[in-house]
Amino acid sequence: MEVYNGTISSSADGQEEASRQGESTDNNNAYQLLREKILDLHLRPGINLSIRDICDLLNIGRTPVRDALIRLEQEDLVTLLPQRGTRVSKIDLDRVEQERFLRLAVEEEVMKLFMACHTPTDLVELQNNLMEQKAFAETGNGDVRKFLHMDDEFHKIFYRVTDRLFSYQTLNNVGGHFRRIRLLSCREMQNVKEIVAQHEEIILALQTRDTKAMLYVLQKHLFKLDRDKKELIKKYPSLFKRNINEDYVNIPWTDDFFETFQSFM
C-alpha cells in the first residue's frame, strides 16, 4: 500500500489497471489488423480460417483474436462457425447496395455544405490529390490499394472541411462490403481512369460553383459499380455471396490473396 496526498493507493490496483489497458490495446490492434486484412483482400472472401491461422497471420494471442472476430461478425465481415473456425464473408451485393445508399445520402449533404464553405486552399488540396491519382493512372500499374487510399483521401477532404469527420468514420465502419468491391473494380485500369476523370469533373463543378453538376457527377461516381459489378461477378464468381445455403470449401490461404487470386479462378 502507498500513500499519495493523503490517499491510499494500491500498487496492485495500478498493475491491474495497466493490465486491462494492455488487453484493450491488444484487442483493438487485433481488430484493426484483421479488419484491414479483410477489407484490403489479403484474405479471400469465403475462406475458412482457424484461430491458429489468424494468430499466426497477425502474430498475436488467441484472446484478442477472439474478441476481434466477435466485432467483425457484427459488421458481417466474418461468420463464426462452431467447431469449425471462422469464415471470411463473401461480398454480399445486397449489403453493397445498402452501404452505397447510405454513402450517397450522407455525401450529397456533405458536398452541398462543402460547396457553400470551401476556400481556394481546399480546392488546391483536391487538385494535389487528383495529380497523384493521375500519376498512378498514367503508369498503368502499381498497388491499387494505394489508389483506393487516394480515392478515400479525396472524399475525406469534403468531410474534414465541413467538420463531418464523425460521419466519414461512421460510413467507413459499416462499409466493408462496398470497399471490397471497389478494390476489385480498381484492378481494371480503365475503371481507375474513369474514377480519376469523375473526380476531375467534381472539381470543375466546384470551381464554377455548379451544385447541380456536382451532385450529378457524384451520383454517377457512386453508381458506377452497377455496371462494374456485372463484369466482376462474371470474372470472379466465387468471391460473391449467391445464396444463404451456398457451399463453402476449404481453400489454401496466403498472406496476400489479392496479389495471387487470379490463379485460383
Side-chain angles (χ1 to χ4, degrees), residues 211-241:
T211 301
K212 184 177 180 180
M214 177 191 67
L215 295 178
Y216 170 77
V217 177
L218 178 64
Q219 289 189 13
K220 181 172 67 172
H221 187 55
L222 293 182
F223 277 94
K224 177 180 175 297
L225 279 176
D226 279 350
R227 185 197 66 217
D228 296 346
K229 70 183 181 184
K230 295 177 183 178
E231 292 300 318
L232 293 172
I233 294 168
K234 185 184 302 183
K235 194 170 185 179
Y236 313 117
S238 65
L239 303 185
F240 292 87
K241 178 181 177 181

Side-chain angles (χ1 to χ4, degrees), residues 79-144:
T79 301
L80 303 184
L81 307 170
Q83 310 303 319
R84 289 188 292 163
T86 300
R87 175 181 300 149
V88 176
S89 299
K90 291 193 175 186
I91 300 172
D92 184 338
L93 293 175
D94 289 338
R95 175 81 184 220
V96 168
E97 175 56 30
Q98 294 284 352
E99 293 172 3
R100 194 258 307 273
F101 177 86
L102 186 60
R103 165 88 178 263
L104 180 60
V106 173
E107 197 147 316
E108 281 187 334
E109 295 305 311
V110 169
M111 294 294 286
K112 291 176 187 177
L113 291 173
F114 186 87
M115 179 67 85
C117 74
H118 72 267
T119 67
T121 301
D122 300 326
L123 294 182
V124 169
E125 187 175 3
L126 289 170
Q127 289 280 14
N128 289 340
N129 179 286
L130 182 64
M131 287 175 61
E132 293 180 7
Q133 295 178 41
K134 285 183 174 180
F136 180 93
E138 287 169 3
T139 62
N141 56 52
D143 185 351
V144 296

Side-chain angles (χ1 to χ4, degrees), residues 128-172:
N128 289 340
N129 179 286
L130 182 64
M131 287 175 61
E132 293 180 7
Q133 295 178 41
K134 285 183 174 180
F136 180 93
E138 287 169 3
T139 62
N141 56 52
D143 185 351
V144 296
R145 293 179 180 127
K146 292 181 179 179
F147 175 78
L148 193 60
H149 176 71
M150 296 176 206
D151 187 356
D152 289 338
E153 287 299 308
F154 181 86
H155 289 269
K156 187 176 181 180
I157 293 170
F158 303 120
Y159 291 83
R160 177 174 51 75
V161 170
T162 57
D163 194 25
R164 295 297 185 274
L165 284 176
F166 173 80
S167 298
Y168 179 83
Q169 189 59 53
T170 300
L171 291 173
N172 284 345

Side-chain angles (χ1 to χ4, degrees), residues 115 202 204-215:
M115 179 67 85
I202 288 174
L204 178 60
L206 288 166
Q207 290 172 331
T208 58
R209 295 197 172 273
D210 189 337
T211 301
K212 184 177 180 180
M214 177 191 67
L215 295 178

Side-chain angles (χ1 to χ4, degrees), residues 155-202:
H155 289 269
K156 187 176 181 180
I157 293 170
F158 303 120
Y159 291 83
R160 177 174 51 75
V161 170
T162 57
D163 194 25
R164 295 297 185 274
L165 284 176
F166 173 80
S167 298
Y168 179 83
Q169 189 59 53
T170 300
L171 291 173
N172 284 345
N173 290 344
V174 298
H177 288 260
F178 186 51
R179 179 180 174 80
R180 287 190 293 172
I181 196 172
R182 287 172 60 212
L183 184 55
L184 277 180
S185 176
C186 287
R187 284 188 68 89
E188 304 296 329
M189 191 52 57
Q190 183 56 42
N191 291 338
V192 168
K193 291 178 179 179
E194 190 172 346
I195 290 169
V196 173
Q198 289 171 353
H199 285 165
E200 192 163 23
E201 288 182 63
I202 288 174

